[in-house]
Structure formats: C-alpha cells, structure tokens
Amino acid sequence: MGVLDKESRAIILEHYFPSLAHQTILLSTDSEIDPATDLQKVAAFVSKGYTLVRDKEAQKTTVDPLYFGIEVKEQA
C-alpha cells in the first residue's frame, strides 16, 4: 500500500478490503493506512484496531488498544 498513489489506495480501501472475506486480519503501518485520512474509509468494516509498540531498549513489544492513537470501535 505504501507505494500506491492516492487513487489506487482509495480503490483498494473502499472496494477490495471490504469484500475480501467475512473475517480478515490486516497488518499495516501508519503510512499504509493513514489514521487521519484512510481509516475512515474502512472503519465500518473494522471490529478492532491495535498498535504494536516496540521498545528497542527493553527488547519487547507491547499492544496499545488504539490504532495509532485512534480508538476503533467494534461495529454492531
């Protein structure tokens, strides 16, 4: 996703990901699905979002229950 232009990224986010399957796990970086602009395009199809936070010094990764600072609420 990081190498796609804005139009191609929008097509994938709005049409491809929502129709993949009943349940899909999507791993992304903040530049592949921008929390400020792209997340709203797929938010209706996302039940949970997390951010893996790497602590290099402690050599561990923690799970933040927010997607790059944004709460993704489970859809009913």
Side-chain angles (χ1 to χ4, degrees), residues 1 3-4 10 23 26 30-31 34 37 41-42 46-47 49 52 54 56 58-60 65-66 71-72 74:
M1 296 271 306
V3 297
L4 298 175
Q23 190 173 53
L26 179 63
D30 62 343
S31 65
D34 187 300
T37 58
K41 295 175 183 171
V42 295
V46 175
S47 65
L52 299 178
R54 180 76 178 138
K56 291 180 184 179
Q59 290 294 303
K60 69 177 187 174
L66 302 176
E71 182 178 10
V72 180
E74 188 167 348

Side-chain angles (χ1 to χ4, degrees), residues 13 38-47 72-75:
L13 290 171
D38 297 329
L39 185 58
Q40 64 190 4
K41 295 175 183 171
V42 295
F45 306 101
V46 175
S47 65
V72 180
K73 296 182 180 181
E74 188 167 348
Q75 304 296 313

Side-chain angles (χ1 to χ4, degrees), residues 1-75:
M1 296 271 306
V3 297
L4 298 175
D5 60 52
K6 288 181 182 183
E7 183 178 340
S8 297
R9 182 191 314 255
I11 289 169
I12 288 174
L13 290 171
E14 294 169 18
H15 301 286
Y16 179 69
F17 286 147
S19 66
L20 276 178
H22 174 70
Q23 190 173 53
T24 303
I25 296 173
L26 179 63
L27 304 173
S28 73
T29 66
D30 62 343
S31 65
E32 292 173 322
I33 297 183
D34 187 300
T37 58
D38 297 329
L39 185 58
Q40 64 190 4
K41 295 175 183 171
V42 295
F45 306 101
V46 175
S47 65
K48 295 185 182 179
Y50 304 98
T51 301
L52 299 178
V53 181
R54 180 76 178 138
D55 183 339
K56 291 180 184 179
E57 195 170 301
Q59 290 294 303
K60 69 177 187 174
T61 300
T62 57
V63 179
D64 182 343
L66 302 176
Y67 181 77
F68 297 101
I70 298 174
E71 182 178 10
V72 180
K73 296 182 180 181
E74 188 167 348
Q75 304 296 313

